[in-house]
Amino acid sequence: MKIGVFALQGAFAEHEHSLDRLGIQWKEIRRLADFTDDLDGIILPGGESTTQGKLLREEGLLVPVKEAILGGLPVFGTCAGMILLAKKLSNDENVYFDAMDVVVRRNAYGRQLGSFGATLDFKGIGSIPAVFIRGPFVESAGKGVDVLAKADGNIVAVRQKHMLATAFHPELTDDLRIHTYFSEIIRGKL
Amino acid sequence: MNERYEYNKNLAQMLKGGVIMDVTTPEQAKIAQDAGACAVMALERIPADIRAAGGVSRMSDPKMIKGIQNAVSIPVMAKCRIGHFVEAQILEAIEIDYIDESEVLSPADDVYHIDKTKFKVPFVCGARDLGEALRRISEGASMIRTKGEPGTGDVVQAVRHMRMMMSEITRVGSMREDELYEEAKELRVPYELVKYVHDNKRLPVVNFAAGGVATPADAALMMQLGAEGVFVGSGIFKSGNPAKRARAIVQAVTNYDKPEIIAELSEDLGEAMVGINEQEIKILMAERGK
């Protein structure tokens, strides 16, 4: 298995570290030439969604990656990655991959003083540690979307077929179970 | 350390591979955000103008900072004077995302830095070498940047500081464990921080480059020397075409090891800021706060 980690901006090295610990092969994607067809899945890391979205457009990655995702390429987005995957943002006009049937609120917990950690009950996994850094949450999810976790009543982890998104950062903790969960989606076991 | 400190280090991790731009108005902040800045630094005067104006330079008007907070959705940082913990309290009260305890402003205390562990908001501090970096981290800084020489458009000092830090990290990394106690004493920092650097071959927090970056090539140079991201102060809004230059620097940081892309990005950028050489300047800001 080989996973493409988007490395335009943000905390991509942390995802690579998690994949290393699981013994999963990865490669960095910065430009169109890196987005090869030998990838079994892709990870969209945390960072600034406006920065990443702009670079995706300028590197010519936005459309081909969107088509690949809509064509069934497994994808896992954390924080900014969730924003990039959403069909609609409630407080921003931008839409990027337009792939997951969710409405996402950016910076839903406010500025850095609102960043927090929590223990969540994640469907199919159990209790997991979650770190939210200027994080978003899902305001509403469509029918085909499976809600996997909530924090204080707000939806913070969702899955729609081969697409997985969390508002928090599993890559910032030592817990590898969500990365494992994603690899199981790729293997077709989940 | 407490959880809040971890979240503050985490925010710096989210900024990696990005460019943080100095802005003085909401309009400039929007230009920066549209160009792909991962954060903006709100200040009344950019370093080049602070240098030109002379006199005492202080924290910016909170109203002006709030105007910028309202204009953009990316994180907003602001500067307070070295040691001026009340300016820092004010910035925390308006919910700034990051405080830069900065040598660009006139120091308020020539002995003590702010005890940053007393704050919930994160701090970034400048450093010229490993000792300074670790001293700021032991005071609670959750992000480090090189000092460079701000407002000059001359990258030489940022290069010097980054090279110094990297070579000292390599040196500590190759020491025998029993030598680390003496090293901690020499650097005047806690043993645990030296041990971290020895074990991980890196600082315990994210490390950006700052001071004198004016071109896409400067930004890529700092990245190749080991920076995890770049601050650009006067370099953008003191240049001929700020929007285009800002975009080019953002792309150069992502593609820092691809010369053919940086070549393209460097075309037709218009006038770069007029630099001042290190020998021509009266105030060495990097000498403030050690």
Side-chain angles (χ1 to χ4, degrees), chain B residues 76-94:
Chain B
V76 177
M77 304 183 166
K79 292 183 193 291
C80 72
R81 285 180 267 175
I82 289 174
H84 205 314
F85 51 85
V86 174
E87 285 187 352
Q89 289 165 1
I90 292 169
L91 293 173
E92 181 168 76
I94 61 169

Side-chain angles (χ1 to χ4, degrees), chain B residues 21-254:
Chain B
M21 301 182 193
D22 280 2
V23 297
T24 58
T25 62
E27 292 69 35
Q28 287 185 357
K30 279 186 200 144
I31 292 172
Q33 176 172 271
D34 290 344
C38 68
V40 289
M41 177 75 68
L43 70 177
E44 258 160 9
R45 277 204 286 250
I46 56 175
D49 291 336
I50 290 175
R51 206 173 268 293
V56 176
S57 176
R58 310 178 180 89
M59 178 191 77
S60 298
D61 182 340
K63 188 176 172 188
M64 170 265 165
I65 297 169
K66 282 194 219 161
I68 287 169
Q69 284 177 313
N70 291 332
V72 295
S73 61
I74 56 179
V76 177
M77 304 183 166
K79 292 183 193 291
C80 72
R81 285 180 267 175
I82 289 174
H84 205 314
F85 51 85
V86 174
E87 285 187 352
Q89 289 165 1
I90 292 169
L91 293 173
E92 181 168 76
I94 61 169
E95 297 202 11
I96 204 77
D97 290 303
Y98 241 98
I99 296 175
D100 185 356
E101 185 183 16
S102 177
E103 68 283 0
V104 169
L105 306 181
S106 310
D109 192 319
D110 53 8
V111 179
Y112 299 104
H113 278 71
I114 296 171
D115 177 1
K116 293 164 275 288
T117 63
K118 296 285 184 288
F119 289 79
K120 286 183 186 157
V121 290
F123 280 81
V124 54
C125 287
R128 296 175 304 171
D129 51 40
L130 182 62
E132 275 189 18
L134 296 181
R135 287 197 287 281
R136 298 296 86 77
I137 292 166
S138 73
E139 294 158 2
S142 45
M143 181 177 182
I144 291 294
R145 56 172 175 75
T146 59
K147 283 181 169 172
E149 193 52 37
T152 59
D154 187 356
V155 81
V156 64
Q157 302 226 25
V159 167
R160 192 182 294 152
H161 301 162
M162 188 57 76
R163 277 192 186 275
M164 177 58 83
M165 238 183 271
M166 291 300 158
S167 73
E168 288 179 310
I169 288 171
T170 308
R171 187 173 55 81
V172 169
S174 62
M175 281 179 169
R176 281 170 51 95
E177 288 205 7
D178 58 5
E179 293 168 349
L180 299 178
Y181 299 95
E182 180 61 21
E183 184 64 17
K185 217 189 297 170
E186 288 286 318
L187 294 175
R188 295 182 283 133
V189 298
Y191 165 78
E192 290 68 31
L193 290 178
V194 176
K195 180 80 165 63
Y196 183 97
V197 172
H198 172 265
D199 293 350
N200 297 280
K201 316 274 188 281
R202 54 161 298 139
L203 292 181
V205 303
V206 166
N207 185 19
F208 269 48
V213 175
T215 66
D218 288 349
L221 173 68
M222 296 313 301
M223 294 296 286
Q224 288 198 28
L225 286 172
E228 296 179 279
V230 175
F231 283 84
V232 187
S234 318
I236 290 173
F237 289 100
K238 276 284 162 191
S239 74
N241 188 342
K244 192 170 180 189
R245 184 168 293 269
R247 258 198 324 271
I249 292 176
V250 168
Q251 283 180 272
V253 167
T254 296

